[in-house]
Amino acid sequence: MNQPHVLAFATQKGGAGKSTIGTHMASALCYYYGYKVAMVDCDYPQNSLHAYRLEEQNRLQSEAPFQARLLKQGIPPYPVIISSVEKAVSSIEGLFEQDYDFILVDTPGTVNVVGLPELLRLVDYIFLPIEPDKGSIASTMSYMGILGQFVQARDEDSNLLGFYAFWNKFVKSEKKGIYDKTEELFQEKGLPLLKSRVELLMTYKENRSTMFPLPERDLNRLGLGQLIQEILTLVVGEGAVTPSGKTISFTAPAVESAPGA
């Protein structure tokens, strides 16, 4: 039986995009890379992932082309399980017995939730999207400080191996200084920041789906493909071969930004 990789997406700021990115990643892992995936939606009361799935289930009932597309894909949709944080541990432990490769968890937008420390003990890696504004940067650094304390106090029952921030809603025309200065600050504070940058384009949000992957060309154009490859490099290793026969390989993207202080 596989020991699944448990990944969580977390923020303290609403609208940062963790649910959207989590959905795109789960769909790519399942339908493109061939992994057996499950999602656990603990982001009460929004439960965005569960809402996406319900919307698509309704489309399956009413739209013949949508049904035909799913049949042609030939891969059953991965489960999306709605759970409170307090019950997330039992939900995830139940999935451990079903031979999944990846379990992705969408956490609530605050650390002040009963049961969150227990949930984090089951998570291997936590990924935090940050936007290029002072509020998002400060909030993410605060959250990472708390996670750092959690890792330092790690006991034998904790699986948490690491946590990483990454740029989301990246704007090429934004003044380059905000990115450079933030990256310098993260390095100074010893806070890990991934090299991938997910761009702010409408395709990224409008085309999220729990039943189909975003086309590879769009994943790469948006920076999502690089993000997924970078995460897989961390989790399963450079050069690993996925169940669909793809080789994990990450090259840091070249970034062009408008000059500015």
Side-chain angles (χ1 to χ4, degrees), residues 57-258:
Q57 286 177 334
N58 290 334
R59 292 186 65 185
L60 275 178
Q61 300 298 320
S62 59
E63 300 179 24
F66 198 84
Q67 298 172 18
R69 183 183 175 193
L70 188 61
L71 288 172
K72 183 179 180 180
Q73 179 170 261
I75 302 173
Y78 54 78
V80 177
I81 299 162
I82 189 170
S83 174
S84 64
V85 172
E86 294 90 335
K87 296 180 180 179
V89 170
S90 60
S91 296
I92 294 171
E93 288 178 340
L95 292 170
F96 283 173
E97 303 173 2
Q98 300 181 44
D99 209 28
Y100 284 102
D101 299 305
F102 284 91
I103 299 172
L104 275 63
V105 183
D106 191 23
T107 64
T110 177
V111 295
N112 298 316
V113 179
V114 174
L116 187 60
E118 290 74 20
L119 168 59
L120 294 182
R121 285 191 178 92
L122 288 182
V123 173
D124 298 317
Y125 295 94
I126 301 172
F127 299 99
L128 304 94
I130 54 173
E131 301 172 68
D133 70 71
K134 292 181 179 179
S136 177
I137 293 165
S139 175
T140 301
M141 292 183 69
S142 172
Y143 201 157
M144 294 180 80
I146 294 170
L147 293 174
Q149 295 173 9
F150 187 84
V151 170
Q152 289 175 1
R154 178 181 171 189
D155 54 42
E156 293 181 357
D157 295 328
S158 174
N159 295 332
L160 187 59
L161 299 173
F163 52 89
Y164 299 83
F166 63 92
W167 287 114
N168 188 33
K169 301 183 182 179
F170 173 68
V171 181
K172 286 183 177 179
S173 60
E174 182 69 67
K175 288 185 176 181
K176 190 173 184 292
I178 191 171
Y179 296 108
D180 289 346
K181 289 181 178 180
T182 301
E183 289 168 10
E184 290 172 6
L185 182 59
F186 269 60
Q187 186 174 12
E188 177 185 324
K189 299 293 184 182
L191 300 175
L193 181 65
L194 298 181
K195 298 183 183 300
S196 303
R197 296 179 173 185
V198 180
E199 291 193 30
L200 177 60
L201 294 173
M202 289 308 295
T203 306
Y204 145 79
K205 188 170 184 178
E206 290 179 347
N207 293 338
R208 62 192 172 197
S209 171
T210 67
M211 294 187 178
F212 304 102
L214 200 63
E216 185 179 9
R217 64 182 181 276
D218 289 333
L219 284 172
N220 292 333
R221 181 169 61 93
L222 293 165
L224 276 165
Q226 290 88 346
L227 174 66
I228 294 169
Q229 286 277 346
E230 188 172 9
I231 289 175
L232 286 175
T233 298
L234 278 170
V235 177
V236 301
E238 178 82 17
V241 178
T242 73
S244 65
K246 309 211 176 275
T247 301
I248 302 303
S249 178
F250 173 72
T251 302
V255 178
E256 296 181 3
S257 298

